[in-house]
Amino acid sequence: MALIELRNISKVYHLGGEEIRALDNVSLDIESGEFISIIGPSGSGKSTLMHILGCLDSPTHGTLKLDGLEIQNASATRLARLRNEKIGFVFQFFNLLPKLNVLQNVELPMIYSGISSKERRERAMQALTLVGLEKRCKHRPMQISGGQQQRVAIARALVNNPRIIFADEPTGNLDSNTGEAILELFRKLSGEGRTIVLVTHDPEIAARTPRKIEIRDGKVAATLTPEFIGQRSSVTT
Amino acid sequence: MNLLNAILVGFKEIWAHKFRSVLTMLGIILGVSSLIGMSALVKGMENGMREALVAIGGVERVRVQESDIPPNQQHRADQATGLTMNDVYALQKNASLTRVIQPEMRFRNLILSRGPKTSNPWNFLGTWPSALEMNEHRIAHGRMFNEVDDELARPVCVIGTQVRDDLFGSPEELGYEYNPVGDQVTIQNQVFTIIGMFEHYESEQDRKAREAERLAAAQAGSITNAAAGPSRNRGWAGRGRGGGSWVFRMKNNTVYIPLNTMWLRFRASSGANNTPDNRLTGMSIKVASADVLDPAIEQAHKALLRTHNGIEDFSFETQENWSENIAAAIKNARMSGGIIAAISLIVGGIGIMNIMLASITERIREIGIRKAIGATSLDVFIQILVESVVIAIIGGLAGLLTSFALVNLLGVIMASDNTPEITFTACVIAFSFSVCVGVVAGLIPAFKAARLDPIQALRYE
């Protein structure tokens, strides 16, 4: 059984009487342990797809199974719990809380899952060690570099041991060297058996993942393997 | 997120915006302290009023006096006896709920004189020694007359300080406290010996005013009256000796002589009087406690009806009205003061709400992040509500402290008034009200924050 099963998912918005189909009949399976990129130009619906996959939003139609649980009609509270327990997010703009230090930022998800402060501390330090920032745990986000902030965000996404990690343009705000290091970190995490979904508009980055899902006008345009991407790029050149 | 964490986050948030939080709390601080200060003032007022009520014998005291015979008994008017000593004995024997009985024989317009000085006391009574307890008198010098003095109808009297002031001079005039015990005075050509003098009665308020005056005089370097110009009577409501509440003034203006002395020397056909009159002008009884006031009066009524051959030529007068008036006045003062103070607390609450609304707008992105990583709407709701309540609680506690300073300040500014008194109840009410205000003020901001859509909130710049 796949970790995530999307069946005929649609998301419809109503803007001033006009109906906008952000997602149109999308079906998709993501297996546990996969490293996937979702690629598409802006407005293609890839963000909407990620929001639905990440339990930030509910689909208008269709069914969604996450880890064997039917969640297409879940309440906001249930979605929040699922986000807390099963999903980790990494954002383009890091989204750390500026008033908290690095350690407190990493501890944040565990506060909402009711873990004791001692265990929170231990697990946060473990996650920070994993991303190589254990020495910076008392710093504020503003006191460390962008690449380090993103690694803190990754540690925060990892700390509750989620089934899947979503990264929304994780390198979009970083220079290429730092971005490279972040991608390397994702690859390493993938190698440890974590499921990672990378959302990007950059084909270069998408090309680095074993599987690529292309979204165009709210539909899955293609599901490609790297070999195929390689073929196509060779055709175009 | 458990409550402890929420409170911790609340404190951090307040600490992060110290100045803003203090300004916000100021509303609550002022509200709480004005609520407590107001109630302390009213309590002081109440103490002053109750003081006066106790000074005239408390609610347990009931006066029995002669009254008109009802119309349906008019045909037996010639058999009406009036109040006599028989009534006193009957009450002593049959009215078990009556604790103290004090017969009174009053003589109007008697003038005490000593040399050129005279005094026309408000109360000139022939009575029993029980009058001491009945009217809450305390002897300062000498003694009260006793049963022997009464039995032998000795020409002795006990006087109040006002009478002493009239006949011998007040401490202000003399510069010292004159003790008249042992001196002789003439009452209607009869020589009486002063065997005792009561304390000087005054309200707490008057006492403080007098002390303030004395202090001012001492600072001005003179012992004489601080008022400038020729000496003059400053009027009925004037300050100084004899000023202040009429209750205390009347009480100081009292002369008691033994009942039998009054009867033999002023009421019998010998002495200074030519129409004998053995009736009492009235009597007072003190019931066992205020709770049994009704049954005690009922009992006394029955006993008296028998001695009066069924003719109802007497009536009872209690001080319930007095005490009810106090209660009503206090209630009114408390209501109006309470409403004003409550409004200021509510204004403080509006301040909190305002700041919380501004604060959540500032933190939309933070709320989005918290929601994305698993905070439920309830978590966010509680966090914002707790912040608001924490502000209110800190403000409330600071308000309690401030109120003590405020009440002390009031006591200093208005040194001659009744001392304001902080009550525990007032503190509890003010504090819980401030917490309620914090909760109510936090509801709308918390609700707004909880309803934020995480996707929208994350995109908010």
Side-chain angles (χ1 to χ4, degrees):
Chain A
M1 188 181 62
L3 179 62
I4 294 182
E5 286 179 28
L6 247 63
R7 291 287 173 272
N8 309 320
I9 288 286
S10 295
K11 182 71 184 180
V12 182
Y13 294 107
H14 294 277
L15 258 181
E18 203 181 338
E19 194 184 88
I20 297 167
R21 284 191 170 263
L23 284 180
D24 194 3
N25 216 17
V26 173
S27 296
L28 192 65
D29 280 3
I30 297 174
E31 299 292 335
S32 183
E34 269 194 295
F35 188 16
I36 303 177
S37 58
I38 296 175
I39 183 166
S42 63
S44 60
K46 66 178 194 302
S47 290
T48 310
L49 180 61
M50 193 199 77
H51 291 150
I52 287 174
L53 287 171
C55 297
L56 280 165
D57 208 350
S58 297
T60 317
H61 306 289
T63 60
L64 170 62
K65 263 190 179 176
L66 169 67
D67 208 12
L69 301 166
E70 296 263 355
I71 57 170
Q72 60 273 9
N73 293 319
S75 68
T77 305
R78 176 122 187 274
L79 287 179
R81 294 261 171 266
L82 285 168
R83 288 198 293 274
N84 188 239
E85 291 163 14
K86 302 204 182 287
I87 293 163
F89 282 107
V90 178
F91 300 97
Q92 180 179 359
F93 297 106
F94 323 133
N95 281 349
L96 300 174
L97 297 188
K99 285 174 217 150
L100 304 182
N101 66 28
V102 164
L103 185 67
Q104 288 166 330
N105 263 294
V106 178
E107 280 184 23
L108 210 54
M110 293 184 285
I111 285 178
Y112 293 110
S113 40
I115 289 167
S116 75
S117 62
K118 190 163 165 277
E119 195 187 338
R120 283 209 302 266
R121 216 185 154 72
E122 276 170 17
R123 276 169 58 175
M125 281 312 288
Q126 274 173 18
L128 280 171
T129 312
L130 198 68
V131 299
L133 281 177
E134 69 276 13
K135 293 213 173 71
R136 298 299 185 103
C137 65
K138 293 292 176 201
H139 286 66
R140 293 288 171 105
M142 300 310 270
Q143 294 167 325
I144 57 178
S145 72
Q148 286 171 329
Q149 286 188 50
Q150 194 60 302
R151 284 197 279 172
V152 173
I154 292 169
R156 182 178 68 186
L158 285 171
V159 79
N160 249 357
N161 241 332
R163 297 303 312 270
I164 185 164
I165 293 171
F166 289 97
D168 186 5
E169 304 275 7
T171 59
N173 225 29
L174 301 170
D175 62 73
S176 56
N177 282 337
T178 330
E180 196 56 46
I182 294 294
L183 284 179
E184 202 46 53
L185 181 57
F186 276 123
R187 200 194 296 279
K188 186 182 137 204
L189 292 171
S190 171
E192 287 169 8
R194 297 192 185 267
T195 316
I196 296 168
V197 176
L198 222 128
V199 178
T200 183
H201 67 279
D202 185 353
E204 288 275 318
I205 292 165
R208 314 275 288 273
T209 61
R211 187 177 163 210
K212 185 179 112 169
I213 297 162
E214 199 175 329
I215 304 285
R216 213 172 277 274
D217 299 328
K219 293 182 179 175
V220 178
T223 309
L224 305 168
T225 57
E227 299 77 43
F228 188 71
I229 297 172
Q231 271 178 24
R232 203 173 66 159
S233 52
S234 65
V235 168
T236 45
T237 43
Chain B
M1 181 143 81
N2 60 31
L3 202 61
L4 193 73
N5 265 313
I7 292 171
L8 228 87
V9 170
F11 269 110
K12 263 183 201 157
E13 202 55 49
I14 289 163
W15 189 247
H17 307 280
K18 286 178 259 315
F19 188 60
R20 188 166 87 179
S21 305
V22 168
L23 281 184
T24 314
M25 281 172 202
L26 209 55
I28 295 293
I29 292 172
L30 292 179
V32 166
S33 51
S34 60
L35 195 64
I36 294 176
M38 182 281 311
S39 108
L41 281 181
V42 173
K43 182 70 187 167
M45 228 168 81
E46 184 181 357
N47 286 348
M49 289 183 178
R50 297 231 177 270
E51 208 180 25
L53 178 65
V54 168
I56 59 165
V59 251
E60 294 91 2
R61 185 183 157 166
V62 181
R63 277 194 63 79
V64 185
Q65 41 199 11
E66 286 190 28
S67 70
D68 292 343
I69 302 166
N72 59 341
Q73 292 182 329
Q74 274 302 343
H75 62 286
R76 297 174 63 201
D78 56 334
Q79 295 171 45
T81 52
L83 291 171
T84 63
M85 286 307 286
N86 284 339
D87 298 327
V88 177
Y89 302 135
L91 284 179
Q92 268 181 332
K93 217 157 79 187
N94 299 323
S96 55
L97 289 172
T98 300
R99 201 161 53 81
V100 186
I101 304 167
Q102 179 225 345
E104 274 178 26
M105 215 177 253
R106 185 184 290 259
F107 210 109
R108 290 272 178 214
N109 298 323
L110 271 182
I111 303 220
L112 278 73
S113 59
R114 185 179 177 280
K117 289 187 169 175
T118 58
S119 172
N120 181 5
W122 180 274
N123 283 318
F124 187 86
L125 294 183
T127 185
W128 278 4
S130 62
L132 201 65
E133 184 186 349
M134 180 63 71
N135 294 321
E136 305 280 339
H137 276 298
R138 288 176 299 276
I139 297 282
H141 299 289
R143 62 173 179 92
M144 182 66 179
F145 51 77
N146 54 29
E147 284 76 10
V148 182
D149 297 313
D150 185 43
E151 195 62 38
L152 301 177
R154 282 180 178 151
V156 292
C157 63
V158 180
I159 64 173
T161 53
Q162 181 62 49
V163 179
R164 187 269 319 259
D165 292 353
D166 290 344
L167 296 178
F168 302 95
S170 66
E172 278 82 4
E173 291 158 6
L174 296 172
Y176 65 95
E177 187 96 7
Y178 184 79
N179 179 358
V181 172
D183 280 316
Q184 293 193 319
V185 290
T186 312
I187 307 173
Q188 204 109 316
N189 299 325
Q190 320 239 359
V191 176
F192 277 72
T193 306
I194 299 171
I195 58 165
M197 186 178 76
F198 300 125
E199 270 178 16
H200 179 68
Y201 306 108
E202 59 190 343
S203 61
E204 181 68 21
Q205 195 173 341
D206 287 342
R207 193 183 57 74
K208 287 170 71 181
R210 198 157 52 81
E211 262 167 23
E213 215 165 67
R214 187 179 298 161
L215 201 71
Q219 274 167 354
S222 79
I223 310 151
T224 52
N225 202 325
S231 71
R232 65 236 185 215
N233 189 336
R234 292 178 68 89
W236 183 234
R239 303 262 299 277
R241 203 81 164 179
S245 166
W246 56 272
V247 165
F248 296 97
R249 205 168 333 168
M250 271 169 43
K251 203 169 166 180
N252 285 325
N253 206 353
T254 291
V255 174
Y256 285 170
I257 62 171
L259 187 72
N260 279 332
T261 312
M262 174 65 100
W263 158 233
L264 286 174
R265 296 204 173 228
F266 299 104
R267 286 295 192 88
S269 55
S270 62
N273 192 26
N274 53 7
T275 44
D277 185 0
N278 69 338
R279 284 176 304 166
L280 300 172
T281 48
M283 62 175 124
S284 294
I285 59 176
K286 204 163 217 175
V287 304
S289 84
D291 304 329
V292 295
L293 193 61
D294 286 333
I297 291 175
E298 182 60 40
Q299 208 178 41
H301 184 250
K302 276 184 186 151
L304 290 181
L305 267 187
R306 200 175 307 157
T307 51
H308 286 246
N309 302 321
I311 300 170
E312 202 158 348
D313 60 346
F314 58 91
S315 65
F316 297 94
E317 186 184 288
T318 66
Q319 306 191 95
E320 287 164 297
N321 266 345
W322 179 293
S323 113
E324 275 161 18
N325 284 347
I326 291 177
I330 292 305
K331 202 177 139 207
N332 288 342
R334 199 170 278 159
M335 274 291 268
S336 46
I339 286 170
I340 292 167
I343 287 173
S344 73
L345 246 181
I346 287 168
V347 171
I350 293 171
I352 292 186
M353 192 189 289
N354 211 348
I355 282 300
M356 292 311 295
L357 282 174
S359 158
I360 62 157
T361 313
E362 213 172 66
R363 285 153 66 194
I364 285 181
R365 206 177 162 83
E366 177 195 323
I367 292 162
I369 296 167
R370 284 180 184 273
K371 283 196 154 185
I373 61 170
T376 61
S377 296
L378 188 68
D379 288 329
V380 174
F381 184 84
I382 288 174
Q383 185 190 332
I384 302 296
L385 194 63
V386 162
E387 253 169 61
S388 154
V389 173
V390 165
I391 289 182
I393 286 178
I394 298 177
L397 289 177
L400 288 183
L401 292 180
T402 315
S403 70
F404 284 95
L406 180 74
V407 167
N408 279 336
L409 189 72
L410 284 176
V412 172
I413 292 174
M414 300 187 288
S416 63
D417 264 348
N418 290 308
T419 316
E421 188 186 323
I422 293 179
T423 57
F424 181 69
T425 334
C427 291
V428 169
I429 289 174
F431 182 70
S432 22
F433 193 52
S434 76
V435 174
C436 289
V437 162
V439 171
V440 173
L443 281 178
I444 293 175
F447 189 65
K448 277 188 86 168
R451 259 187 20 178
L452 282 176
D453 175 38
I455 299 167
Q456 303 283 334
L458 275 172
R459 279 188 189 143
Y460 187 85
E461 288 297 328

